[in-house]
Amino acid sequence: MKPTNKAAIALLAVACTSPVLAEGETASETRTGTEATIEEIVVSGQKLTTQRAAIAVDREVVIDTAEAFSRLPGADRNKNGPLTGIAQYRGMYGDRVSVNIDGLGIISGGPNAMDAPLSYVSPMITEELTLERGVPGVSSSPEAIGGHVDATMARGRFGDGDAFGINGMAGARYSDNGDTTSAAGRLTLSNRAHRISVVGQADRGDDQRTPAGTIVPSELARDRYDLSYAFRDDRTAFQAFAGRLDTRDTGTPALAMDIRYIDSALYGLSLEREISTATQITARVGYTDVDHVMDNFSLRPPPAMGMQYRQNRAGGRGTVFALSVDRGLGEFTLRGGVDGRFAEHESLITNPNNAMFFIDNFNDIQRDVAGAFLALERQTGNSAWEAGLRYVDVSSSAGDVSVGGLADMMAMNAAMLADAFNAADRDLSWGNVDAVIKYSRYLGSNVKFNVDIGSKSRAPSYQELYLWLPLQATGGLADGRNYIGNLGLDAERSNEIAIGLDWETDRFSISPQAWFRDIDDYITGTPAAVMPANMLAMMMSGSGALQFNNVDAEIYGLDLGWQFKLSQRVHVDGNASYSRGRRTDISDNLYRQAPPNATVAVNFVGESLSLRGEVVAYDRQDRVSSISGEQASAGYAIVNGQLTWYALPSLRLELHANNLLDRGYQHHLAGVNRVSDVEIPVGERLWGAERTLSIGAVMSF
Ligand SMILES: [Cu+2]
C-alpha cells in the first residue's frame, strides 16, 4: 500500500474516533525500518502531497462546492452564478477537468454548464473532494486532459456487530448575506455488513449583496437527496444509490439566461471484489437524466421588447461505466480496464410571446466515449513508478436543425446556416492514445521527489462541434460573445511535465510542484469567417461571431501548500498558485485564467475550540484574451475568520466571517454582468460578497 493511502486511512480513523482532533490536527503514524516518513500536510481539513490534494468539503461554510475546490493549490473556479461554479485547474476548465462523484462521471444537461458537475455535490453531505495533483493516471478517467477530481458523498458508516444500529447527522447554516440557509441531514441504519442510508441537503438564498450593489439575480434554491444501500464483507464492497437534484429559480448573472429549474435523476451501482489475495475487480455503472429550463425574463428584468424574450429547454441523459482489474505481481501491480460514457443532448429555444419562434439549438446530439487502459506500477522501499497507456474512441452525431419565426435578414442568414449544417457530414469520430509515466523517489528520509510526464487528449465537445447558429451556448465560457461550432475540429493534445517535492521536518512541511503544458490543437474561439454567422452575430450583439478552432497554446506554473508549527497548538499555513496561459501560434493570452494568488492563515487548535484567521490575496490579471474582449482585473486581499467549537463531542458549532474588512473586490473568474437595469452595470465584472457572517451547527449521532 502506498504511504499516502496509509496516511489517509490513519487520518480517517482519527476523524471517525475523535471529531475534536479531526480539524487542523496532523495524524501521526509511526513507521519502521527504512520505510519512508513523509506525511500529508494536514491543514484545516485539507490534505496535501504532490500526488493529491483533498479537502473535507463539509467543514467549509460554502454553498457551491466549487468554492471549496478553489482553496486547493492550483485550483480555482469560474463562477457564472451562486450554484454554477466550474472547476478550473492549472489554467484548464470546463470539459477539460473531469469530475467524478463516487467514481462515476456526471452528464450535464445544460449547454452552458449551468449544472456543472460540482453543482451536484452539495457541500454538507460530501465526505471529501480529492484532486489528483500532477498528471492524472490513465485509469482515472477518459479525456481528463486538464485534471481529475473525485468527490464522495457522505453516506454514513457500517456498524461493528451483527445488530443493526442507527447513526446520522443533522446540520443547519445561516449567512446574513441574502439570508442564505442550508439544512442537511443523514439517517443510516447499519450493521457490520449492511447499510441503508438516506441523505439530503436543501439550500435557499436571496440576492447577494456586495459593496458595489446587489447582484441581480443571484438568488438560489437547490435540493439534493440520495438513498443508498451498501453491503460489505471481507472481500466485497457493493453499493447502489438513487439520487435527485432539484434546482429551482437560481440566478446566473454572467450568462444570458437564468435557471428556472434543473431536475436531475442519478443512479449508480458499484462493486469491488477481491477474487484472490492478488486480484481485485472494480465495476461501476451510472445513469443520469437531466431536464432543464432557463429564460431571460423571469428572474432578471425582462427585455424591453416582447420579441426578445427567450426560453430554453435543454436536456441530457446517458450512461457511464468503468470496469477494472488490479493484479498484484510481487512488487508490481498491473491494472487494466475499460470505461465509457454514452450521452444524448438536446436544446430548444422558444419565445413565449411568439408561438412561431423556435431555434433547434442542439437537436438529437449523441456523444459516445469508449476507452481501454493498462497501467503497471512498481513500489519498492524508497521509490515508485507507474506507466500507463490508454486508448479512447470518441464518436458523435447530430440531427437536422431548423429555425422559425425570425424576421427578414435574420431568417435568411439562419436558413443558410441551417441548410449548410443539414447538408454536412455530422457523424464524426476520433481515436486517441494517452500515455502517463509517474516516478517518485525519497531523497533522504524527509524529502520525496516526484516527476510526472503525460500526453493526454480530449475530443471536441458537442457545443464546439454542433453550435450551428451563433449563440452563447458554450459550456459556460461567459465571455458575452456569440460562437459557432466547427465540424472539422481535431482533438486537443496536451504534453505535460510536472516536477514536485514533498519536504517535511518536525515543524515545517511544504509541497511545491512546477508544471508545463504544451497543448496542440487547443480548442478556442477565433474570429469566424462564415459570412451568415457574422451577419447574425452582428445583428444580435454588435460584434461578429467567434468560431471554435484548433490553435496552439501553452500553460505553465507552480503551486504549493505549506505549514509551519509554532507550537503544539498554533500553526501557520498557506498555499500559493501561479499559472500563465498563452497562445503560441499568435500573440494572445488564453481566456479566463486565474491570476497569481496566495492564502496565509494563522490557526489555533485547542481541545474543543479552533480558530483560523486568513488573508486571501489575488494579483491583478492583465494577461487577458484580446480575441474574447476580456477585461483586466485589479488585485485585492480579503480577510476571513472562522471559529469552530465542539460544544459537545457530537455537536460542532461554526462561526465564519468572510471579507471581514468589507472590501470591494472583483475575482477575475467571477464573470461579467450580463443583466441590464440593475445596480451593477452591464459589462462590469461581478463583485465579491460584502462582509458576510455565517453561523452553523452540525450534530452527529
Ligand atoms: Cu441553462
Side-chain angles (χ1 to χ4, degrees):
M1 191 181 285
K2 290 181 199 168
T4 51
N5 288 350
K6 274 199 213 164
I9 288 165
L11 257 164
L12 206 64
V14 171
C16 292
T17 52
S18 151
V20 178
L21 290 179
E23 183 153 319
E25 201 77 348
T26 303
S28 61
E29 184 195 3
T30 44
R31 291 169 200 272
T32 51
T34 58
E35 183 97 334
T37 57
I38 303 258
E39 302 287 349
E40 291 171 310
I41 301 176
V42 182
V43 176
S44 305
Q46 289 188 34
K47 292 179 268 175
L48 183 69
T49 67
T50 47
Q51 275 146 1
R52 53 180 230 122
I55 186 162
V57 178
D58 66 324
R59 305 302 175 90
E60 304 291 319
V61 178
V62 294
I63 290 284
D64 188 353
T65 294
E67 205 73 42
F69 171 74
S70 76
R71 294 181 188 169
L72 297 171
D76 222 302
R77 54 98 186 88
N78 296 2
K79 183 174 180 172
N80 291 336
L83 295 179
T84 308
I86 297 170
Q88 175 168 147
Y89 185 58
R90 293 182 172 175
M92 288 195 172
Y93 48 80
D95 291 336
R96 296 185 178 98
V97 177
S98 96
V99 177
N100 280 1
I101 303 175
D102 297 311
L104 289 163
I106 283 287
I107 290 163
S108 288
N112 237 337
M114 284 179 180
D115 62 333
L118 286 177
S119 71
Y120 286 89
V121 184
S122 293
M124 292 179 81
I125 52 172
T126 299
E127 199 158 270
E128 190 171 74
L129 189 77
T130 305
L131 165 72
E132 259 189 82
R133 248 183 126 204
V135 183
V138 293
S139 62
S140 298
S141 172
E143 301 199 284
I145 190 170
H148 178 69
V149 186
D150 213 323
T152 46
M153 191 167 254
R155 294 193 172 93
R157 55 181 189 270
F158 283 91
D160 297 322
D162 291 329
F164 277 88
I166 284 179
N167 62 77
M169 173 277 276
R173 285 175 178 158
Y174 171 80
S175 291
D176 66 342
N177 198 341
D179 285 327
T180 307
T181 56
S182 294
R186 172 175 62 79
L187 198 61
T188 302
L189 176 70
S190 63
N191 69 2
R192 81 167 84 200
H194 303 276
R195 188 193 69 195
I196 296 168
S197 217
V198 55
V199 295
Q201 177 171 344
D203 305 296
R204 297 288 180 277
D206 292 333
D207 290 335
Q208 297 285 305
R209 291 183 308 270
T210 81
T214 301
I215 299 178
V216 178
S218 56
E219 65 199 87
L220 65 98
R222 175 180 63 186
D223 296 335
R224 179 79 164 88
Y225 319 95
D226 183 89
L227 174 68
S228 63
Y229 165 75
F231 168 82
R232 69 165 188 195
D233 65 18
D234 295 346
R235 302 170 66 173
T236 312
F238 168 82
Q239 179 166 279
F241 69 83
R244 284 202 68 82
L245 173 87
D246 182 358
T247 301
R248 286 284 172 275
D249 293 344
T250 296
T252 45
L255 298 172
M257 301 186 198
D258 301 302
I259 300 167
R260 295 309 314 280
Y261 72 79
I262 300 167
D263 269 342
S264 300
L266 307 102
Y267 307 96
L269 289 173
S270 69
L271 174 71
E272 289 167 44
R273 172 122 179 112
E274 210 177 282
I275 302 293
S276 70
T277 47
T279 310
Q280 182 174 341
I281 58 162
T282 304
R284 296 182 211 279
V285 60
Y287 182 79
T288 313
D289 186 352
V290 187
D291 180 17
H292 167 48
V293 165
M294 51 190 158
D295 74 29
N296 70 348
F297 53 84
S298 297
L299 273 64
R300 62 186 64 192
M305 288 181 286
M307 298 314 281
Q308 292 172 330
Y309 281 49
R310 294 288 179 271
Q311 184 177 67
N312 189 348
R313 182 163 188 181
R317 69 206 59 78
T319 305
V320 292
F321 77 93
L323 178 66
S324 66
V325 181
D326 282 54
R327 171 129 181 108
L329 305 156
E331 287 174 341
F332 294 92
T333 306
L334 186 66
R335 170 178 290 185
V338 292
D339 51 21
R341 174 191 180 92
F342 307 110
E344 295 168 13
H345 302 273
E346 71 279 324
S347 168
L348 175 70
I349 302 172
T350 54
N351 179 347
N353 300 319
N354 180 357
M356 306 291 287
F357 179 91
F358 74 95
I359 296 168
D360 284 329
N361 179 20
F362 295 105
N363 184 33
D364 198 12
I365 304 282
Q366 185 84 38
R367 188 180 190 277
D368 296 335
V369 180
F373 59 86
L374 196 62
L376 186 65
E377 281 177 45
R378 183 173 189 228
Q379 188 97 39
T380 56
N382 65 354
S383 74
W385 59 258
E386 174 188 332
L389 273 179
R390 167 186 272 280
Y391 179 76
V392 186
D393 179 87
V394 180
S395 60
S396 70
S397 62
D400 283 342
V401 294
S402 56
V403 58
L406 287 176
D408 313 334
M409 285 296 284
M410 280 217 169
M412 198 185 80
N413 285 302
M416 282 169 72
L417 290 174
D419 290 347
F421 185 82
N422 292 339
D425 180 9
R426 303 181 303 270
D427 290 343
L428 306 170
S429 64
W430 300 262
N432 297 311
V433 175
D434 293 358
V436 176
I437 297 172
K438 293 167 173 254
Y439 176 75
S440 67
R441 182 177 191 86
Y442 280 89
L443 312 169
S445 63
N446 58 3
V447 181
K448 189 175 160 190
F449 167 81
N450 298 272
V451 58
D452 294 357
I453 297 172
S455 181
K456 300 213 138 196
S457 62
R458 176 187 74 97
S461 70
Y462 75 90
Q463 295 95 327
E464 291 162 344
L465 295 166
Y466 299 125
L467 181 55
W468 63 276
L469 188 77
L471 289 171
Q472 297 179 21
T474 56
L477 291 179
D479 59 355
R481 298 294 303 264
N482 290 294
Y483 279 72
I484 53 167
N486 183 344
L487 297 171
L489 287 175
D490 290 324
E492 296 179 332
R493 176 163 298 282
S494 172
N495 296 310
E496 180 170 358
I497 182 165
I499 298 174
L501 281 181
D502 291 309
W503 181 38
E504 188 193 59
T505 66
D506 286 346
R507 309 191 88 173
F508 181 66
S509 49
I510 189 166
S511 181
Q513 195 170 52
W515 47 275
F516 184 90
R517 289 174 159 167
D518 178 64
I519 310 140
D520 292 332
D521 295 320
Y522 182 82
I523 298 170
T524 190
T526 63
V530 182
M531 277 312 287
N534 280 332
M535 287 175 70
L536 275 169
M538 217 42 145
M539 286 184 258
M540 289 187 283
S541 68
S543 45
L546 297 181
Q547 181 169 33
F548 288 110
N549 260 307
N550 292 115
V551 304
D552 293 316
E554 66 184 24
I555 316 177
Y556 54 87
L558 173 81
D559 46 66
L560 57 87
W562 59 271
Q563 184 194 58
F564 184 72
K565 284 179 199 147
L566 295 169
S567 72
Q568 191 62 31
R569 294 250 177 254
V570 180
H571 65 268
V572 288
D573 64 50
N575 52 45
S577 305
Y578 172 87
S579 170
R580 165 100 174 91
R582 61 184 202 94
R583 294 267 299 267
T584 50
D585 54 335
I586 62 162
S587 173
D588 198 9
N589 301 298
L590 297 187
Y591 167 66
R592 218 174 187 183
Q593 298 289 300
N597 61 86
T599 300
V600 178
V602 182
N603 300 270
F604 169 84
V605 183
E607 289 286 327
S608 62
L609 187 79
S610 57
L611 293 164
R612 177 176 168 92
E614 65 177 13
V615 176
V616 179
Y618 272 78
D619 196 5
R620 68 175 186 277
Q621 180 60 290
D622 49 16
R623 288 166 163 167
V624 291
S625 161
S626 58
I627 283 181
S628 284
E630 188 182 16
Q631 305 158 35
S633 61
Y636 65 87
I638 59 168
V639 177
N640 304 320
Q642 46 181 271
L643 179 153
T644 305
W645 178 37
Y646 281 91
L648 299 167
S650 60
L651 177 65
R652 185 175 82 237
L653 301 178
E654 308 161 326
L655 175 64
H656 284 222
N658 280 330
N659 192 9
L660 208 54
L661 305 180
D662 207 22
R663 284 280 309 269
Y665 70 97
Q666 291 162 300
H667 189 296
H668 188 72
L669 307 179
V672 170
N673 182 39
R674 308 290 173 202
V675 181
S676 309
D677 307 318
V678 292
E679 286 177 44
I680 297 174
V682 172
E684 188 162 308
R685 192 176 300 283
L686 288 158
W687 292 77
E690 66 181 26
R691 177 170 47 230
T692 299
L693 298 175
S694 308
I695 52 168
V698 178
M699 189 181 69
S700 49
F701 54 89

